[in-house]
Amino acid sequence: MTKLFTPIEFRNVELKNRIVMSPMCMYSCMDQDGKITPFHMTHYISRAVGQAGLIMTEATAVVPEGRISHEDLGIWDDEHIDGLKHLNEQIHNYGAKTGIQLAHAGRKARLDSDIYAPSAQAFNENSKTPTAMTAADIDKTVEAFKEGARRAKESGFDIIEIHGAHGYLINQFLSPLTNQREDSYGGSRENRCRFLSQVIEAVKTVWDGPLFVRISTDEYAEDGNTLDDILYFAEQMKQQNIDLIDCSSGGVVPASIKPFPGYQVKRCETIKQEASIATGAVGLITTGIQAEEILQNNRADLVLIGRSLLRNPYWAKAAADELNETLPAPKQYERGWK
Ligand SMILES: Cc1cc2nc3c(=O)[nH]c(=O)nc-3n(C[C@H](O)[C@H](O)[C@H](O)COP(=O)(O)O)c2cc1C
């Protein structure tokens, strides 16, 4: 039976439990160079000491103009590798595996430079209008995801996640709300999926480890992608041998969402059942019992914990205590763990 504290393997990478630190932007590269800072080391390593099975970095930009803010982490240059390598080594010391979320913000970049998107349409009245990408821009961006994946491999990551959610660049291609293109990247859902498919194929030329994709499973807007469209994208990803779909929602267009505990789990479960693919559940999962319900009822394979892990780096320990499970301590903490 799938349980919170049973291990799971993705292509020879074993996670010791199903608890994933959800990717969360920390906007903390104060030198605006995309490099790991002492803050990032403390932030991620403390959650590994706290025994999360997988630590996923925040959205990490594959090109400078793909950052959400000037303070985002980056992987657009070989100069980023050293810091990321050091981070990976330290996280691995505590038995956690590492993942990197490769990202491009598209029209949601809040930068001084020009910004790019499938169509020249601003997110809202406070956002810049992006430049519509040419075919050459698209090719260059696909290549940047590939180069990001190569650097991720050289940095020692165990897992790569492609950020296709929350209305960022890949999501902007996927959604009919943000993609008005009239070429082979726009129009039908086959065409809207083309950019994501090409990114996946490009990444796979340099990466044979586990590959996850995060998507927005609900756009909370009329004329947005339907559940049927999302299932189509899931099927495409399955055919491309994606190992897990990380099921989030929203962010494509301004919309008011009223989240409640586990609000994104239902679509996560549907995708898992309908597309027969592993899924990750995320969103207001705050207790061990809630996580266990999702896993034991076969509604997801992993649970991603965001804000609860910000509040408590030892969330895994609290969940284990709540469920009366034994969670091995990091060896330095053995005397005080019970
Ligand atoms: C501060 C903060 C930063 C976030 N940054 C990212 C990000 O970089 N990439 C991403 O996919 N989601 C991001 N998210 C969304 C979280 O990964 C997660 O999906 C969301 O917070 C819901 O989970 P929770 O209720 O457990 O916090 C962020 C959320 C927060 C609170």
Side-chain angles (χ1 to χ4, degrees), residues 3 15 19 23 40 43 84 116 129 135 148 173 177 194 207 242 274 292 300 332:
K3 294 180 75 179
L15 309 184
I19 302 168
H40 294 104
H43 170 65
L84 292 168
Y116 297 87
T129 301
F173 274 93
L177 298 169
R194 192 175 312 283
W207 175 262
I242 288 302
E274 298 284 320
E292 198 69 303
Q332 296 88 340

Side-chain angles (χ1 to χ4, degrees), residues 59-305:
T60 303
V62 296
V63 288
E65 66 275 19
R67 290 173 291 176
I68 301 167
S69 78
H70 290 108
E71 288 76 29
D72 288 17
L73 274 186
I75 192 159
W76 63 81
D77 196 291
D78 284 355
E79 291 216 339
H80 291 120
I81 294 173
D82 264 1
L84 292 168
K85 198 186 256 179
H86 192 43
L87 176 68
N88 277 315
E89 286 162 3
Q90 292 301 314
I91 293 176
H92 286 148
N93 278 343
Y94 303 98
K97 295 294 195 283
T98 56
I100 182 165
Q101 190 184 48
L102 297 182
H104 189 306
R107 71 175 188 165
K108 290 178 91 175
R110 298 189 300 263
L111 302 172
D112 299 332
S113 63
D114 286 344
I115 62 171
Y116 297 87
S119 304
Q121 213 181 55
F123 175 68
N124 63 22
E125 63 279 7
N126 301 320
S127 318
K128 263 191 184 175
T129 301
T131 303
M133 292 168 82
T134 61
D137 292 332
I138 291 176
D139 290 348
K140 252 172 46 191
T141 310
V142 169
E143 181 68 18
F145 273 96
K146 173 181 150 190
E147 282 292 283
R150 173 188 59 82
R151 294 185 189 106
K153 186 173 181 175
E154 286 174 31
S155 306
F157 283 100
D158 302 297
I159 292 176
I160 289 179
E161 173 165 285
I162 295 170
H163 197 349
H166 302 163
Y168 295 114
L169 184 68
I170 291 173
N171 202 171
Q172 289 158 30
F173 274 93
L174 289 174
S175 177
L177 298 169
T178 45
N179 182 342
Q180 314 296 326
R181 298 182 73 90
E182 289 175 356
D183 60 5
S184 62
Y185 291 92
S188 65
R189 61 190 182 187
E190 289 82 353
N191 281 357
R192 299 198 310 276
C193 197
R194 192 175 312 283
F195 180 66
L196 170 60
S197 299
Q198 289 182 347
V199 167
I200 292 170
E201 287 312 311
V203 165
K204 277 166 42 183
T205 62
V206 294
W207 175 262
D208 57 4
L211 190 53
F212 296 0
V213 179
R214 175 169 271 201
I215 57 168
S216 279
T217 60
D218 196 333
E219 299 183 350
Y220 307 105
E222 252 181 70
D223 303 326
N225 277 313
T226 62
L227 180 57
D228 197 53
D229 293 325
I230 301 295
L231 289 172
Y232 170 81
F233 299 144
E235 188 53 47
Q236 298 307 301
M237 287 187 261
K238 189 186 171 183
Q239 282 175 17
Q240 290 187 285
N241 287 324
I242 288 302
D243 296 280
L244 177 135
I245 300 179
D246 177 1
C247 298
S248 190
S249 73
V252 182
V253 288
S256 99
I257 307 174
K258 294 201 174 65
F260 52 88
Y263 67 109
Q264 297 171 146
V265 177
K266 194 164 178 204
R267 287 203 167 191
C268 172
E269 177 178 11
T270 305
I271 291 166
K272 180 172 168 58
Q273 306 306 340
E274 298 284 320
S276 300
I277 189 165
T279 57
V282 66
L284 279 183
I285 301 167
T286 56
T287 67
I289 197 86
Q290 196 189 353
E292 198 69 303
E293 181 277 321
I294 294 164
L295 293 167
Q296 290 200 28
N297 280 320
N298 211 22
R299 308 174 74 194
D301 299 85
L302 297 177
V303 289
L304 291 96
I305 309 295

Side-chain angles (χ1 to χ4, degrees), residues 322-336:
E322 187 191 336
L323 295 168
N324 219 4
E325 294 272 353
T326 309
L327 178 67
K331 74 176 184 322
Q332 296 88 340
Y333 287 11
E334 273 163 5
R335 290 185 203 168

